[in-house]
């Protein structure tokens, strides 16, 4: 990747709906070479996909919880069962493997606190192999971006 590819990525991260003509103008290329570069970035897997970023509150999910999970045991079956449960649960937006005292960090969205209680009772508490769960509720955001530097 060269400087021009990085310019293309910066512009597409800011507005993934740019037409090729507008993108080419912003990065000072003619449309044909610009499109060729975008297609190369897609083929190389640098551009993974195009998505819409939805406002959580406007979509009815104003509550965000960060949930640290520690497993009681780390046998393959326990880990696979937990990770399968995570993948099938739409309220879990992300699940990160961690070093340190917790094994996983979940980002969970809910319409309200009562929904979170039901999520805990029906989803996490019924998942075998969990030793501890620690929840922090997000009450503000200083920075939130999907743009890579």
């Amino acid at each position: 990747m060269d400087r021009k590819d990085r310019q293309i990525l910066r512009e597409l991260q800011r507005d993934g709906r740019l037409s090729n003509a507008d993108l080419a103008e912003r990065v000072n290329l003619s449309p044909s070479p610009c499109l060729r570069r975008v297609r190369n970035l897609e083929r190389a897997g640098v551009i993974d996909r195009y998505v819409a970023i939805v406002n959580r509150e406007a979509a009815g999910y104003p509550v965000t919880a960060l949930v640290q999970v520690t497993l009681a045991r780390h046998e393959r079956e326990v880990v696979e069962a937990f990770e399968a449960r995570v993948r099938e649960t739409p309220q879990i937006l992300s699940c990160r493997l961690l070093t340190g005292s917790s094994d996983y960090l979940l980002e969970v969205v809910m319409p309200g606190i009562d929904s979170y209680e039901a999520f805990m009772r029906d989803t996490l508490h019924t998942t075998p192999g969990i030793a501890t769960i620690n929840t922090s509720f997000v009450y503000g955001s200083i920075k939130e971006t999907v743009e890579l530097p």
Side-chain angles (χ1 to χ4, degrees):
M1 277 193 340
D2 63 11
R3 188 176 59 83
K4 201 54 78 172
D5 289 335
R6 293 187 193 289
Q7 286 178 317
I8 289 170
L9 291 173
R10 184 177 54 249
E11 294 301 327
L12 286 175
Q13 286 182 107
R14 291 178 180 159
D15 184 357
R17 294 184 67 173
L18 280 174
S19 69
N20 184 60
D22 289 339
L23 177 61
E25 184 178 321
R26 287 187 186 189
V27 299
N28 199 25
L29 282 173
S30 59
S32 185
C34 183
L35 183 60
R36 190 169 35 256
R37 283 176 174 267
V38 169
R39 296 290 184 245
N40 286 340
L41 291 167
E42 292 169 346
R43 275 192 291 278
V46 176
I47 296 175
D48 187 42
R49 65 188 180 271
Y50 297 90
V51 299
I53 299 172
V54 177
N55 181 294
R56 295 174 185 189
E57 286 191 33
Y61 292 92
V63 175
T64 300
L66 300 177
V67 183
Q68 292 179 312
V69 175
T70 304
L71 299 180
R73 298 177 326 279
H74 294 91
E75 286 95 14
R76 171 170 272 148
E77 309 80 46
V78 173
V79 170
E80 287 175 354
F82 174 77
E83 291 179 1
R85 175 66 59 98
V86 165
R87 285 186 194 95
E88 70 188 24
T89 306
Q91 297 91 342
I92 300 174
L93 299 185
S94 67
C95 176
R96 311 286 181 173
L97 288 163
L98 302 177
T99 61
S101 60
S102 297
D103 296 316
Y104 298 93
L105 178 65
L106 310 178
E107 182 179 10
V108 179
V109 293
M110 293 287 157
I113 296 296
D114 55 336
S115 300
Y116 183 75
E117 179 185 3
F119 165 78
M120 288 297 291
R121 289 180 188 272
D122 300 337
T123 303
L124 285 187
H125 288 165
T126 62
T127 303
I130 295 178
T132 61
I133 300 169
N134 293 303
T135 301
S136 297
F137 289 99
V138 175
Y139 70 90
S141 181
I142 306 305
K143 180 179 181 180
E144 195 169 336
T145 185
V146 294
E147 290 182 37
L148 295 176

